[in-house]
Amino acid sequence: MPASLDGCLVVAISSRALFDFEEENQLFEASDDHAYMALQQQRLDVPAKPGVAFSLVKKLLGFNQAGQPPRVEVVVLSRNDPVSGLRVYRSAQAYGLPIQRGVFTRGREPWRFLKPLHAQLFLSANELDVRAALDAGVPAARVYPTSARASDAHPDELRIAFDGDAVLFSDEAERVFQAEGLDAFQRHETHHALEPLPPGPFKPLLLALHGLQQQRNQAVRVRTALVTARSAPAHERAIRTLMSWKIEIDEAMFLGGLPKGEFLREFEPDFFFDDQLGHITHASQHVPSGHVAAGIANR
């Protein structure tokens, strides 16, 4: 029978999100892909340094147990050429990351392969690829390669933090805020407190993580956080929406517009997702961060 990824959380990731290829990428942007390929070939036996999403990937792969069907599949989906892909594989092997599958397109749009992979998350440093993936209905975020790296204080716990509106939830409420201001937003959310928000682009990922969270006797545990600019009374609709989805969030931070970075630094996530560039710019100084180019704020 052909191989299948049914039942797996499939994460597609670019080489620059998984490994630190910023020096090589500078050469690519300054010259051409041939110089880049030559440098990567020269460094085949030099493992690349971990990138911004390395900790996330390592812990996700920790859910797979020997002798059991895999729970998570990580696939490299990259604009790199196949020769440069050799270094990606060798670097993964050097760090003990059991990554087997990869698609290398040498400059062409790789997001087209997300659908046959049934990917539930795509991480890339390329904004156009991320936007295309979101338009195709795949949860996706543009990583900031210069983001702070994840803390190593929680080796047995996968920690992921999400913004609410336009990430876990739709941008319905954000549209009210953008058009009419904070007071109108608060009135709208109070009036609709018992009405669940429509799902946002990252609900499928949250559901998949919830499934991993329910597994017993795992070497890695999942801990999630909602980190939002909402505050009372608009907090209630967010919580009730999660309750209606039968999803439990471990921590919730209703910050009322306070900068998120310092709070995220204390939570120490392996990754944080937000749709607001301002929030990501600040948060990336403290934790690994990715921009979700969805919703009215990104149009």
Side-chain angles (χ1 to χ4, degrees):
M1 292 181 64
S4 173
L5 297 178
D6 290 346
C8 286
L9 164 57
V10 180
V11 175
I13 188 167
S14 74
S15 56
R16 282 180 66 199
L18 181 57
F19 294 115
D20 183 350
F21 284 142
E22 294 316 292
E23 181 184 347
E24 292 86 347
N25 188 64
Q26 289 174 9
L27 177 63
F28 175 80
E29 294 180 348
S31 53
D32 56 41
D33 66 339
H34 292 285
Y36 173 84
M37 289 167 58
L39 180 59
Q40 291 284 41
Q41 191 167 5
Q42 291 171 18
R43 297 180 173 179
L44 276 181
D45 296 319
V46 180
K49 295 178 181 178
V52 65
F54 181 90
S55 178
L56 173 69
V57 166
K58 182 178 181 180
K59 289 183 180 180
L60 280 169
L61 289 170
F63 284 95
N64 296 336
Q65 299 181 20
Q68 297 185 15
R71 300 284 301 164
V72 177
E73 178 77 16
V74 175
V75 181
V76 178
L77 187 57
S78 173
R79 285 177 177 257
N80 265 342
D81 62 280
V83 171
S84 302
L86 285 176
R87 190 176 179 213
V88 176
Y89 276 119
R90 289 198 182 184
S91 297
Q93 185 179 27
Y95 290 108
L97 300 180
I99 296 175
Q100 297 178 327
R101 293 180 170 88
V103 177
F104 300 92
T105 63
R106 194 175 180 179
R108 296 295 175 91
E109 300 88 348
W111 62 268
R112 296 172 291 120
F113 298 99
L114 291 167
K115 284 295 185 181
L117 286 170
H118 303 288
Q120 290 148 293
L121 177 63
F122 177 49
L123 297 176
S124 172
N126 187 292
E127 182 177 0
L128 293 179
D129 288 342
V130 166
R131 287 181 177 270
L134 287 165
D135 288 342
V138 178
R142 177 192 173 198
V143 303
Y144 276 47
T146 58
S147 290
R149 298 304 189 249
S151 166
D152 59 2
H154 310 281
D156 301 324
E157 203 166 61
L158 171 64
R159 294 184 165 214
I160 301 183
F162 299 92
D163 181 33
D165 297 290
V167 178
L168 291 183
F169 316 129
S170 78
D171 68 344
E172 173 196 300
E174 179 67 21
R175 288 175 178 272
V176 175
F177 174 75
Q178 295 279 352
E180 303 177 48
L182 180 59
D183 290 342
F185 166 81
Q186 297 281 30
R187 289 194 299 271
H188 179 271
E189 292 304 279
T190 301
H191 180 71
H192 295 279
L194 301 182
E195 179 183 329
L197 283 155
F202 271 67
K203 181 188 176 184
L205 176 61
L206 185 62
L207 281 170
L209 291 172
H210 184 70
L212 291 178
Q213 203 170 29
Q214 303 310 302
Q215 299 298 310
R216 303 303 179 192
N217 302 318
Q218 295 281 2
V220 182
R221 299 180 300 276
V222 178
R223 189 166 186 85
T224 53
L226 171 66
V227 184
T228 173
R230 285 174 177 253
S231 58
H235 71 296
E236 183 172 344
R237 193 179 187 196
I239 294 297
R240 287 187 175 275
T241 297
L242 294 169
M243 291 170 61
S244 74
W245 295 348
K246 295 180 171 56
I247 291 178
E248 296 178 358
I249 287 279
D250 296 296
E251 302 189 25
M253 306 175 200
F254 300 102
L255 301 181
L258 291 174
K260 298 180 179 181
E262 286 86 354
F263 293 89
L264 288 161
R265 183 184 62 209
E266 299 305 316
F267 178 64
E268 298 180 309
D270 293 288
F271 216 85
F272 168 59
F273 298 99
D274 200 298
D275 70 305
Q276 301 276 351
L277 275 172
H279 292 160
I280 287 293
T281 300
H282 185 256
S284 65
Q285 300 172 36
H286 303 278
V287 299
S289 303
H291 176 228
V292 181
I296 190 171
N298 291 289
R299 294 184 181 176

